[in-house]
Amino acid sequence: MAQPRMSQPVTANTYTETEEQAKLRFQTELEFVQCLANPNYLNFLAQRGYFKDTNFINYLKYLQYWKEPKYAKYLKYPQALHFLELLQYEQFRKELANQQCAKFIDDQQLLHWQHYQRKRVQLLGAEAEHVQQMKETKPS
């Protein structure tokens, strides 16, 4: 699992980021935000005390910019944004230290994906059937 990387505070007067550095920061932050979609990784962070570190909490606040559509479109696991939001709350961060809590969240995600997949197949099948019926009933 990826270890979180903490950025140093950047001020306009002391540091100018090159294009290559900005690209690397973007990729690193994208990877880290996507890791937040994994409840087992969140449990790992909680058990190692990351969620008690003020700098790390501030880093999670900084990462909120990923909710903007121009950044969110790069996420493969959009549920990471929901977890990023929940991580803003101390109570949620505390609960994640409990392995059973992380397992429950993981199980709920699995159930959601299974239900979503089934529903999607049903909807696509119904749409295909509707299109076929429209073709058959169209006068030539």
Side-chain angles (χ1 to χ4, degrees), residues 9-139:
V10 178
T11 61
N13 297 339
T14 61
Y15 181 76
T16 305
E17 191 174 53
T18 67
E19 187 175 330
E20 187 62 32
Q21 289 169 325
K23 182 178 178 183
L24 181 60
R25 182 173 55 84
F26 176 84
Q27 291 171 338
T28 302
E29 290 174 358
L30 172 62
E31 180 180 347
F32 177 68
V33 168
Q34 293 196 117
C35 286
L36 299 179
N38 182 340
N40 296 306
Y41 181 61
L42 297 177
N43 175 255
F44 169 86
L45 294 176
Q47 289 183 347
R48 281 153 185 79
Y50 281 95
F51 297 144
K52 294 177 183 173
D53 181 351
T54 306
N55 289 326
F56 191 74
I57 301 306
N58 289 335
Y59 183 61
L60 292 172
K61 287 178 187 171
Y62 157 76
L63 291 173
Q64 293 283 329
Y65 77 87
W66 281 96
K67 291 180 173 182
E68 296 176 28
K70 68 181 181 179
Y71 297 106
K73 68 183 179 184
Y74 294 104
L75 293 171
K76 185 174 182 179
Y77 309 107
Q79 69 272 24
L81 295 177
H82 183 65
F83 287 116
L84 181 60
E85 177 65 32
L86 291 173
L87 286 167
Q88 304 307 309
Y89 300 99
E90 183 179 5
Q91 186 61 38
F92 182 72
R93 294 190 305 263
K94 284 181 182 179
E95 291 294 330
L96 285 170
N98 180 345
Q99 178 68 37
Q100 289 159 336
C101 176
K103 172 128 178 59
F104 176 77
I105 294 169
D106 194 37
D107 290 345
Q108 294 305 304
Q109 274 194 127
L110 209 62
L111 289 170
H112 170 74
W113 290 333
Q114 289 172 345
H115 176 72
Y116 173 80
Q117 185 67 18
R118 237 184 342 267
K119 272 298 226 196
R120 184 179 168 120
V121 167
Q122 288 173 351
L123 289 171
L124 291 174
E127 177 65 23
E129 188 176 306
H130 177 70
V131 168
Q132 184 64 32
Q133 287 175 352
M134 294 298 286
K135 286 180 182 178
E136 291 172 359
T137 60
K138 223 179 210 181

